[in-house]
């Protein structure tokens, strides 16, 4: 009897395994790429015959010995809805299938940035009923080896219920394309905040790269369980080394009390995310304390505590009294301090911060760090004490190369699409110089893997963000990263949207995603869809020195150079002599060129434009209102020149 049961169980299992199975991408509501061969693939029993029906096409294929099968449907014109029917020993009917334009949207948090985070989301939601615009949201996942299918994901139609989870950049891009083309638009959103370009690149690409082959040779094929244990040990060890004592929640409730002795706690700069400082990229619980001294006059008043923004959740105490709590990572913390809580002399502000994912800590504008005494302010920016009491141990996508390529890109191949939109680079600013090789490597890698030619690859140049206070005098990692992005335009069929004028120096996630999407769509509409228009701002081409002046020439000037300043004053230009010391420069537009000079530089040799983390003030445009990309004319060594990607062991 036992043998019979075992045989029945095995036969039943074989029948289940024999069912035709499709990748998650192939599901109700999907959008297929028009005017190209349409790869359709899946799994079945070994050598099983599979039939695929779509519109008026019928294709048959036999699965290989491993059960994998792939068939290419003939190119279709835009239209739908259709049904895609796959038949083997079972039958799968995929409904409401459209044919149109498909774009992959990828990168880190500024591509992940969802519609619900927009300041005008309620307005946008009312305008979102667009059944021809659809998003496939790839579930975030890691893998040490290439996966065949995604962890999860589904196609959703743009409407009031679904729009909140659409990538904002991708949605505005798609909406503009639909307005112009009047055909279905599908976006495949595969993004993850805080990730570096190396995790999106395949192992094979690194192995073939002179820049990275030595690095990857020392990285074994990754077992994620082993990675977790190694990462846990390394992470806790690093934190305990930094702060000089154990990571533990023991006695943490005492930390809010003003008489608690925190002299042995290390210090950290505020406001600034932990990721930018010695704590590093952790999720968990950190207590932060600030001791201040107040006068009797200050102490007797009711006051208001300003702590800029806190990522993600805070419980804030003043002299042991809880004055507020908030769990919205982008909300400003403004808490009333009742009369009687403050005292003359020493006072202690204690904040218990819980970071669930992504960035963590107190961040934002230094001007928003203060106690306000009805008009007079006591500043709170600067050094604060900290104590990491709990670490959420999970493997970061940046722990090893290729983790996101394996889990979130490889399963998409060979799905047909028109092009890629990419918004990333913030996580690579420390290795900006090497990004000149890493970013083109990733683009070439994807093109090689898909084998669909040099498909369009359009990316967003980093906007302004005053992360390190970088500039021409002390160097700027953000400027160097922007330069690396500009140099990537040397690859064929690439395009770059410049966003220096629509960023926020105090927020790494600027909320104007509509203009970003529109600028990307301008590139696509011009270069792919025949809508001839200016789609780029001025790009530096060459310089000529004459006396104490340097004359700059540009491409992509449209109908002429201009400035956003109503008085016609150009800002953001600097000039230097052979001593490499840059001074603010006078710059004027003449004959569609820019002439730069300074009384302090009699023999100039180089010009910088917008060479700073925070390049908010720069204002060179063309008359079509596209901003000029920041640039430098020299090739002097930059501050990230020697920084290389490596994997911790």
């Amino acid at each position: 009897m036992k043998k019979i049961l075992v045989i029945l169980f095995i036969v039943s299992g074989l029948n289940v395994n024999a069912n035709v199975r499709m990748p998650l991408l192939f599901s109700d509501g999907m959008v297929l790429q028009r005017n190209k061969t349409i790869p359709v693939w899946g799994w079945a029993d070994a050598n099983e015959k599979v039939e695929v029906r779509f519109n008026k096409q019928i294709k048959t294929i036999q699965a290989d010995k491993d059960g994998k099968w792939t068939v290419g449907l003939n190119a279709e014109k835009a239209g739908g809805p259709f049904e895609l029917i796959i038949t083997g020993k079972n039958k799968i009917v995929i409904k409401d299938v459209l044919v149109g334009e498909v774009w992959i949207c990828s990168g880190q948090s500024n591509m992940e940035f969802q519609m619900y985070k927009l300041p005008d989301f309620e307005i946008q939601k009312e305008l979102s009923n667009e059944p021809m615009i659809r998003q496939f949201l790839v579930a975030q996942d890691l893998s040490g080896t290439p996966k065949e299918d995604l962890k999860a994901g589904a196609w959703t139609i743009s409407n009031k219920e679904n729009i909140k989870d659409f990538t904002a950049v991708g949605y505005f891009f798609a909406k503009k394309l639909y307005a112009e083309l009047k055909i279905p638009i599908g976006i495949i959103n595969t993004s993850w905040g805080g990730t570096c370009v190396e995790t999106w690149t395949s192992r094979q690409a690194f192995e073939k790269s002179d820049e990275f082959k030595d690095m990857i040779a020392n990285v074994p094929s990754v077992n994620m369980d082993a990675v977790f244990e190694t990462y846990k040990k390394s992470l806790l060890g690093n934190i305990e080394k930094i702060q000089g004592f154990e990571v533990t929640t023991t006695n943490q409730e005492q930390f809010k009390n003003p008489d608690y002795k925190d002299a042995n706690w290390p210090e950290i700069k505020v406001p600034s995310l932990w990721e930018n400082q010695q704590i590093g990229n952790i999720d968990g619980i950190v207590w932060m304390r600030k001791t201040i001294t107040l006068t009797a006059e200050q102490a007797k008043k009711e006051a208001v505590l300003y702590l800029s923004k806190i990522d993600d959740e805070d419980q804030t105490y003043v002299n042991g009294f809880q004055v507020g709590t908030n769990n919205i990572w982008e909300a400003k913390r403004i808490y009333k301090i009742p009369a009687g809580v403050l005292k003359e002399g020493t006072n202690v502000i204690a904040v218990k911060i819980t970071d669930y994912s992504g960035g963590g800590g107190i961040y934002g504008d230094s001007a928003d760090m203060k106690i306000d005494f009805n008009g007079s302010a006591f500043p709170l920016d600067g050094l604060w004490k900290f104590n990491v009491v709990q670490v959420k141990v999970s493997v970061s996508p940046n722990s090893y190369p290729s983790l996101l390529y394996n889990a979130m890109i490889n399963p998409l191949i060979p799905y047909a699409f028109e092009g890629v939109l990419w918004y990333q680079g913030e996580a690579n600013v420390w290795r900006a110089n090497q990004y000149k090789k890493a970013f083109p490597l990733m683009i070439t890698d994807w093109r090689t893997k898909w084998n669909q030619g040099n498909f369009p690859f359009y990316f967003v140049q980093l906007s302004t963000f005053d992360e390190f206070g970088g500039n021409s005098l002390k160097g700027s990692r953000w400027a160097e990263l922007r330069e690396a992005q500009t140099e990537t335009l040397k690859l064929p069929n690439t395009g770059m949207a410049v966003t220096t004028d629509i960023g926020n120096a105090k927020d790494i996630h600027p909320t104007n995603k509509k203009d970003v999407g529109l600028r990307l769509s301008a590139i696509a509409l011009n270069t792919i869809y025949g809508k001839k228009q200016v789609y780029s701002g001025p790009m530096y081409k060459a310089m000529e020195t004459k006396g104490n002046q340097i004359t700059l020439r540009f491409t992509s000037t449209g109908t002429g150079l201009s400035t956003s300043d109503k008085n016609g004053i150009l800002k953001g230009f600097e000039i230097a002599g052979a001593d490499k010391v840059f001074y603010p420069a006078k710059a004027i537009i003449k004959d569609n060129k820019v002439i730069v000079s300074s009384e302090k530089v009699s023999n100039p040799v180089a010009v910088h434009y917008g060479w700073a983390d925070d390049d908010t003030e720069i204002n060179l445009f063309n008359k079509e209102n596209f901003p000029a990309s920041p640039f430098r004319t020299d090739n002097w060594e930059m501050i990230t020149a020697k920084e290389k990607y490596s994997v911790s062991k």
Side-chain angles (χ1 to χ4, degrees):
M1 182 65 181
K2 288 183 179 178
K3 290 182 179 179
I4 294 173
L5 289 174
V6 169
I7 292 171
L8 287 173
F9 176 78
I10 293 172
V11 171
S12 173
L14 288 174
N15 286 337
V16 171
N17 291 335
N19 283 346
V20 171
R21 178 171 62 88
M22 300 297 293
L24 290 174
L25 263 176
F26 289 84
S27 54
D28 291 349
M30 69 187 299
V31 182
L32 297 173
Q33 176 62 40
R34 66 169 177 163
N35 300 339
K36 291 184 179 181
T37 299
I38 303 171
V40 180
W41 73 96
W43 303 271
D45 200 5
N47 303 314
E48 181 178 348
K49 181 180 177 182
V50 177
E51 179 185 85
V52 178
R53 291 175 175 260
F54 184 73
N55 202 1
K56 298 177 182 179
Q57 298 189 53
I58 302 175
K59 300 276 186 174
T60 58
I61 190 72
Q62 183 174 317
D64 64 20
K65 60 183 177 62
D66 298 318
K68 180 74 181 288
W69 57 269
T70 303
V71 67
L73 294 175
N74 299 333
E76 294 272 358
K77 294 181 179 180
F82 304 109
E83 287 186 347
L84 177 63
I85 303 171
I86 303 96
T87 307
K89 293 178 180 177
N90 61 310
K91 183 177 182 179
I92 298 173
V93 179
I94 301 173
K95 300 178 180 180
D96 190 26
V97 179
L98 302 180
V99 179
E101 290 295 285
V102 179
W103 285 78
I104 292 175
C105 300
S106 190
Q108 56 182 107
S109 53
N110 274 306
M111 181 60 80
E112 184 182 7
F113 192 101
Q114 300 94 336
M115 288 289 291
Y116 76 83
K117 295 178 180 177
L118 296 175
D120 65 342
F121 172 63
E122 292 303 321
I123 296 174
Q124 295 299 334
K125 184 170 71 171
E126 294 301 314
L127 302 172
S128 67
N129 285 322
E130 302 272 11
M132 293 295 104
I133 298 176
R134 301 176 179 192
Q135 172 181 263
F136 185 92
L137 180 58
V138 175
Q140 294 180 343
D141 190 21
L142 308 176
S143 179
T145 54
K147 295 181 69 173
E148 286 192 321
D149 203 2
L150 301 167
K151 176 182 177 181
W155 287 93
T156 55
I157 294 172
S158 173
N159 57 34
K160 294 179 184 179
E161 289 70 38
N162 298 330
I163 193 62
K164 65 181 185 301
D165 294 321
F166 274 52
T167 158
V169 168
Y171 170 74
F172 288 119
F173 173 88
K175 188 164 185 173
K176 180 62 175 177
L177 256 59
Y178 179 73
E180 295 288 336
L181 305 177
K182 300 300 182 185
I183 61 173
I185 308 294
I187 52 177
I188 299 173
N189 179 6
T190 178
S191 53
W192 192 323
T195 53
C196 61
V197 73
E198 292 85 359
T199 193
W200 294 100
T201 307
S202 77
R203 182 183 184 93
Q204 291 82 1
F206 290 126
E207 290 172 339
K208 296 176 182 178
S209 165
D210 290 340
E211 179 73 16
F212 293 99
K213 63 183 180 182
D214 290 340
M215 175 277 296
I216 202 67
N218 294 316
V219 178
S221 295
V222 177
N223 176 291
M224 294 309 295
D225 291 335
V227 169
F228 178 81
E229 290 303 318
T230 301
Y231 183 71
K232 177 180 179 181
K233 182 178 180 180
S234 173
L235 183 62
L236 291 175
N238 287 339
I239 294 297
E240 290 175 357
K241 181 178 179 180
I242 288 167
Q243 64 184 21
F245 45 82
E246 185 182 4
V247 175
T248 176
T249 57
T250 303
N251 300 323
Q252 68 166 323
E253 288 307 310
Q254 298 180 22
F255 298 167
K256 64 186 177 186
N257 299 328
D259 56 353
Y260 179 82
K261 305 300 182 184
D262 61 13
N264 67 327
W265 288 19
E267 293 180 320
I268 195 169
K269 179 185 174 183
V270 173
S272 181
L273 292 173
W274 302 333
E275 281 74 3
N276 303 330
Q277 303 186 71
Q278 67 266 44
I279 294 180
N281 185 19
I282 69 163
D283 302 320
I285 300 174
V286 179
W287 280 84
M288 301 184 69
R289 286 168 55 101
K290 180 78 168 178
T291 300
I292 60 174
T293 302
L294 300 178
T295 65
E297 183 66 22
Q298 291 170 322
K300 72 180 182 180
K301 297 179 180 179
E302 183 181 87
V304 180
L305 175 64
Y306 292 80
L307 292 179
S308 197
K309 302 176 184 179
I310 299 179
D311 191 348
D312 288 293
E313 181 177 347
D314 72 290
Q315 296 172 35
T316 298
Y317 304 87
V318 176
N319 292 335
F321 179 85
Q322 184 168 336
V323 296
T325 183
N326 198 317
N327 61 5
I328 302 174
W329 66 274
E330 53 190 345
K332 287 190 175 182
R333 271 39 172 196
I334 303 174
Y335 302 135
K336 287 185 178 180
I337 305 175
V341 172
L342 297 173
K343 60 183 181 179
E344 180 183 3
T346 300
N347 294 261
V348 175
I349 302 165
V351 186
K352 180 184 180 182
I353 301 175
T354 304
D355 178 35
Y356 298 105
S357 65
I362 303 174
Y363 73 102
D365 194 339
S366 294
D368 291 330
M369 294 290 303
K370 63 186 177 182
I371 299 178
D372 186 82
F373 300 100
N374 192 25
S376 64
F378 188 101
L380 296 176
D381 60 321
L383 295 177
W384 283 53
K385 298 279 189 177
F386 74 89
N387 185 335
V388 181
V389 300
Q390 187 179 85
V391 175
K392 173 186 171 185
V393 182
S394 59
V395 178
S396 162
N398 297 330
S399 299
Y400 285 86
S402 309
L403 295 183
L404 296 190
Y405 171 84
N406 292 336
M408 297 175 65
I409 298 298
N410 193 72
L412 304 179
I413 301 170
Y415 200 85
F417 62 93
E418 182 60 46
V420 172
L421 305 181
W422 177 261
Y423 197 158
Q424 187 274 340
E426 300 92 337
N428 278 88
V429 294
W430 287 91
R431 302 186 301 277
N433 186 63
Q434 195 180 41
Y435 198 76
K436 294 177 181 180
K437 296 182 179 179
F439 186 29
L441 178 67
M442 190 209 75
I443 297 173
T444 303
D445 180 33
W446 288 18
R447 287 172 168 174
T448 301
K449 294 290 188 181
W450 252 283
N451 195 28
Q452 292 186 23
N454 289 332
F455 53 73
F457 197 106
Y458 305 148
F459 51 92
V460 182
Q461 188 180 55
L462 288 190
S463 188
T464 182
F465 181 60
D466 195 15
E467 184 168 12
F468 309 108
N471 54 37
S472 289
L473 294 179
K474 58 183 180 181
S476 169
R477 294 180 177 87
W478 281 68
E480 292 180 29
L481 197 287
R482 295 185 196 110
E483 179 181 75
Q485 292 174 315
T486 301
E487 292 197 10
T488 301
L489 292 172
K490 295 174 183 176
L491 285 184
N493 214 4
T494 53
M496 182 176 74
V498 178
T499 61
T500 51
D501 59 322
I502 52 176
N504 183 342
K506 304 301 180 184
D507 191 348
I508 200 170
H509 303 118
T511 57
N512 184 353
K513 295 297 190 274
K514 183 175 182 179
D515 282 329
V516 178
L518 290 176
R519 289 178 187 180
L520 289 167
S521 71
I523 303 172
L525 288 168
N526 179 82
T527 58
I528 300 173
Y529 303 115
K531 308 287 185 178
K532 294 304 179 182
Q533 58 186 14
V534 176
Y535 62 89
S536 171
M539 301 289 291
Y540 168 71
K541 182 180 181 180
M543 62 169 274
E544 179 183 352
T545 304
K546 187 174 183 180
N548 68 340
Q549 296 181 338
I550 291 180
T551 300
L552 305 170
R553 290 188 289 122
F554 298 84
T555 61
S556 301
T557 57
T559 56
L561 296 177
S562 69
T563 174
S564 59
D565 186 88
K566 62 182 180 181
N567 296 316
I569 299 173
L570 287 175
K571 299 177 182 179
F573 285 91
E574 300 171 290
I575 196 166
D579 60 359
K580 302 181 182 181
V581 177
F582 282 87
Y583 296 91
K586 177 184 177 182
I588 60 171
I589 298 171
K590 185 177 181 181
D591 298 329
N592 218 30
K593 301 173 185 176
V594 174
I595 301 173
V596 184
S597 63
S598 170
E599 293 179 355
K600 296 183 178 180
V601 182
S602 56
N603 295 298
V605 298
V607 170
H608 280 182
Y609 173 69
W611 201 263
D613 295 4
D614 175 9
D615 57 5
T616 304
E617 73 166 8
I618 64 176
N619 61 358
L620 177 63
F621 290 76
N622 56 26
K623 291 180 180 178
E624 285 71 23
N625 208 32
F626 286 97
S629 176
F631 65 89
R632 62 178 176 136
T633 64
D634 60 87
N635 61 357
W636 298 331
E637 185 172 275
M638 296 287 100
I639 60 174
T640 65
K642 294 181 172 61
E643 300 297 329
K644 302 291 184 181
Y645 177 73
S646 62
V647 178
S648 300
K649 297 180 180 179

